[in-house]
Amino acid sequence: MADWTDAQRKTVASVWGQLDAEIGAHALARVLIVYPWTQRYFGSFGDLSTAAAILGNGKVAAHGKVVLQALEKGVKNVDAIKSTYTDLSRLHCLTLKVDPDNFRLLADCLTIVIATKLGAAFNPQVQATWQKFLSACVIALGSQYV
Amino acid sequence: MTLSAKDKAVVKAFWAKISSKADAIGSEALGRMLTVYPQTKTYFGHWSDTSVGSEPVVKHGKTVIRALGDAVGKIDDLVGGLAELSTLHAFKLRVDPGNFKILSHNILVAMAVNFPADFTAEVHVSVDKFLAEVAAALAVKYR
């Protein structure tokens, strides 16, 4: 799919290496707050009625971790992102029935949460490489939709 | 999607907070957009340099963010307040309106980088909604 230079590989690994376990939780909470229609997929998560409730919701936090663990597979396999996410793509289409546009929303929120964490170190070149990686993941997750 | 009274208050408060760094945020956002979404450079063929920190990028970033600051002041009537800018974008600049979303994203990233503690999820949603309303107001005259 995408071609990666050595510099880009290093950048993706470097960004990943600076993320803590809570980033996934923060990113998912942000998606649910900034794009509230995404809450449609989380009916079983309990109280999502306010930003405070979402930020304090244990199920959101736990699921944010699951998402981040799945993203790690892509980080470790940048040359085979499409095949890495084939099964997850089918799951999201057939079982979870998630509109694939939501993957882009999550990617954007994750980028912004990372920007708050890394600050100026998340410079335009790093942002470009990181978003290239996330775009590949987003496309891969949508690739098995029928 | 409309701006609630709370959204307007949040946007005004956050804009006041960032005002001392607004020009830098505008320039940074534009630089990020041109780097991360290289197709946006197609609108700036008349610039000698589209790189981050270059003179035209710094200058134009200021122009854009100051116009957004004005829009904050006109938040109760963005369509009316941005009518002239809409005419400019529709008939002279003819920027594909899909790019408003792209620039908005990069403005949010620049805000997140420069004000990590203040750019909370609640501020994020209100500012994102504001930028979307501005984009819609800019697109009014397109067709």
Side-chain angles (χ1 to χ4, degrees), chain A residues 20 22-23 36 54 57-58 67 86 93 98 115 127 132 142:
Chain A
D20 60 34
E22 287 161 0
I23 284 266
I54 291 170
N57 186 307
V67 169
T86 303
C93 171
V98 174
Q127 182 190 345
K132 176 181 171 176

Side-chain angles (χ1 to χ4, degrees), chain A residues 29-30 33-37 51-52 55 104 107-109 111-113 115-117 119-120 122-125 127-128 131, chain B residues 1 28 31-33 35-37 52 101 105-106 108-110 112-117 119-122 124-125 128-129:
Chain A
R30 213 164 257 246
I33 292 166
V34 178
Y35 308 104
W37 54 92
L55 289 162
R104 194 183 41 81
D108 283 350
C109 280
T111 294
I112 283 166
V113 167
T116 62
K117 181 136 211 282
F122 193 65
N123 63 46
Q125 276 304 337
Q127 182 190 345
Q131 289 199 207
Chain B
M1 295 192 249
E28 183 182 323
R32 283 180 185 276
M33 182 189 81
T35 306
V36 181
Y37 302 86
V52 171
K101 227 180 198 185
H105 170 71
N106 287 287
L108 296 176
V109 172
V113 162
N114 287 282
F115 291 88
F119 196 64
T120 61
E122 276 161 306
H124 179 166
V125 60
D128 190 45
K129 285 173 74 176

Side-chain angles (χ1 to χ4, degrees), chain A residues 4-22:
Chain A
W4 300 93
T5 65
D6 281 341
Q8 287 170 338
R9 287 167 202 280
K10 264 180 100 171
T11 296
V12 172
S14 163
V15 170
W16 185 257
Q18 295 175 72
L19 306 184
D20 60 34
E22 287 161 0

Side-chain angles (χ1 to χ4, degrees), chain B residues 12-54:
Chain B
K12 284 180 181 169
F14 184 68
W15 216 270
K17 202 164 262 187
I18 70 169
S19 59
S20 60
K21 265 186 139 179
D23 285 351
I25 285 177
S27 306
E28 183 182 323
L30 196 65
R32 283 180 185 276
M33 182 189 81
L34 295 164
T35 306
V36 181
Y37 302 86
Q39 70 272 21
T40 57
K41 291 190 289 187
T42 56
Y43 291 97
F44 302 101
H46 54 289
W47 285 357
S48 50
D49 190 348
T50 51
S51 59
V52 171
S54 69

